[in-house]
Amino acid sequence: MDRHLIAQGAEGKVFLGKLFGEDVVIKERIARKYRHPLLDAKIRQKRILQETRNMGKARKEGVPIPAVLFVDAANCVIFMEKITPGITVKEFLLKAQDVSKEIMIDLAHKIGRNIALLHNIQCIQGDLTTSNMMIKPFVSLGAELNDSNDIIQEILKNKDVGTVYMIDFGLSFISNLPEDMAVDLYVLERAIGSLHPECSSLFEDILEGYKQNCTKANINLTRLSQVRLRGRKRLAFG
Ligand SMILES: Nc1ncnc2c1ncn2[C@@H]1O[C@H](COP(=O)(O)OP(=O)(O)OP(=O)(O)O)[C@@H](O)[C@H]1O
Ligand SMILES: [Mg+2]
């Protein structure tokens, strides 16, 4: 089948391909040679089912998530809707120039809302970074968006980012513990701090969107303060 590699992570490969003539994203979990082959197949199958199950649950809840079109559990492959036109939040923040405060707040609130809706159904994303979220802009009539620069210009012109998708549920799991939700947020805070240090209020604005939509925001944010303290101690004392 015609497909080309777009990303290679620690756990798998991501390709662009076709399914029934439509553009799709194909995500494949690769075998770990150091594991016994049968055990390895079992682990990968379990993970892929967990990933697609959590994507389905979250989508039902109203979180923008690519639709899972087909799962080949035996070969550990997921076929999903391609977010197009789309750009990762990471690429947008690294490349876009002169982004207005209005757009940054729109983006942050949508991210915060998505995380809140996930936590409301006890879904911990497990790997919240800006490369695991994508922006799909509203496209004006007749506009042709051929590359990421065109997409960025469209977003800036609209003064609205459009839809923010959560795309990578490979490490997601179900838990109702405030600790797990707080760590989920803390991972994102650290990722933003290291990848986008100039976006100083982005995380605070994300928390604003989170507070407005998460039923247990108070408990989870109190817990986040404790997780931050532990993180600082670890940094200070090793
Ligand atoms: N549904 C999708 N539509 C469009 N692009 C996608 C989609 N899913 C993934 N991508 C692109 O592929 C990249 C990797 O996808 P994903 O995060 O799911 O895999 P991964 O194995 O965790 O990779 P990484 O380790 O880079 O995070 C994304 O950052 C995004 O650029
Ligand atoms: Mg990823």
Side-chain angles (χ1 to χ4, degrees), residues 159-175:
K159 301 193 173 66
D160 184 314
V161 291
T163 310
V164 179
Y165 282 79
M166 309 301 266
I167 56 166
D168 183 1
F169 283 73
L171 293 173
S172 65
F173 61 99
I174 299 297
S175 160

Side-chain angles (χ1 to χ4, degrees), residues 27 127 131-132 168:
K27 196 168 170 182
D127 189 17
S131 60
N132 287 337
D168 183 1

Side-chain angles (χ1 to χ4, degrees), residues 6-34:
I6 53 168
Q8 170 137 34
E11 293 286 318
K13 293 179 175 175
V14 179
F15 303 89
L16 284 184
K18 293 266 184 199
L19 184 70
F20 307 126
E22 294 287 332
D23 285 338
V24 291
V25 165
I26 304 163
K27 196 168 170 182
E28 198 175 279
R29 256 174 206 282
I30 40 182
R32 307 261 103 179
K33 295 279 188 292
Y34 57 81

Side-chain angles (χ1 to χ4, degrees), residues 6-163:
I6 53 168
Q8 170 137 34
E11 293 286 318
K13 293 179 175 175
V14 179
F15 303 89
L16 284 184
K18 293 266 184 199
L19 184 70
F20 307 126
E22 294 287 332
D23 285 338
V24 291
V25 165
I26 304 163
K27 196 168 170 182
E28 198 175 279
R29 256 174 206 282
I30 40 182
R32 307 261 103 179
K33 295 279 188 292
Y34 57 81
R35 281 191 207 128
H36 185 280
L38 275 180
L39 178 66
D40 181 64
K42 266 203 168 147
I43 292 175
R44 284 188 295 142
Q45 277 165 20
K46 197 174 151 221
R47 293 247 178 93
I48 226 151
L49 291 176
Q50 201 169 331
E51 180 169 0
T52 47
R53 195 180 301 132
N54 290 338
M55 287 173 82
K57 276 188 190 166
R59 221 169 110 87
K60 255 212 261 84
E61 208 48 34
V63 185
I65 312 260
V68 174
L69 304 170
F70 180 71
V71 182
D72 177 356
N75 295 305
C76 301
V77 184
I78 304 176
F79 292 73
M80 69 178 100
E81 171 196 0
K82 180 187 175 202
I83 304 308
T84 182
I87 183 171
T88 62
V89 171
K90 177 179 171 183
E91 191 177 358
F92 175 73
L93 292 176
L94 291 179
K95 280 197 186 160
Q97 310 263 329
D98 305 318
V99 184
S100 68
K101 184 75 194 159
E102 189 184 358
I103 291 180
M104 288 299 284
I105 288 183
D106 181 47
L107 174 64
H109 283 184
K110 284 172 178 167
I111 295 173
R113 176 177 184 271
N114 284 351
I115 303 170
L117 295 185
L118 292 178
H119 288 181
N120 286 347
I121 53 162
Q122 281 97 50
C123 177
I124 312 299
Q125 202 272 355
D127 189 17
L128 287 175
T129 66
T130 51
S131 60
N132 287 337
M133 302 168 191
M134 288 189 78
I135 300 173
K136 181 178 181 177
F138 299 128
V139 183
S140 19
L141 210 62
E144 260 194 51
L145 309 183
N146 295 315
D147 58 23
S148 56
N149 284 324
D150 292 350
I151 296 177
I152 290 171
Q153 287 320 312
E154 188 73 10
I155 294 170
L156 298 182
K157 198 180 78 190
N158 291 343
K159 301 193 173 66
D160 184 314
V161 291
T163 310

Side-chain angles (χ1 to χ4, degrees), residues 177-190:
L177 298 179
E179 171 75 16
D180 289 328
M181 300 187 190
V183 170
D184 217 19
L185 292 167
Y186 186 62
V187 166
L188 179 61
E189 182 173 27
R190 295 295 297 265

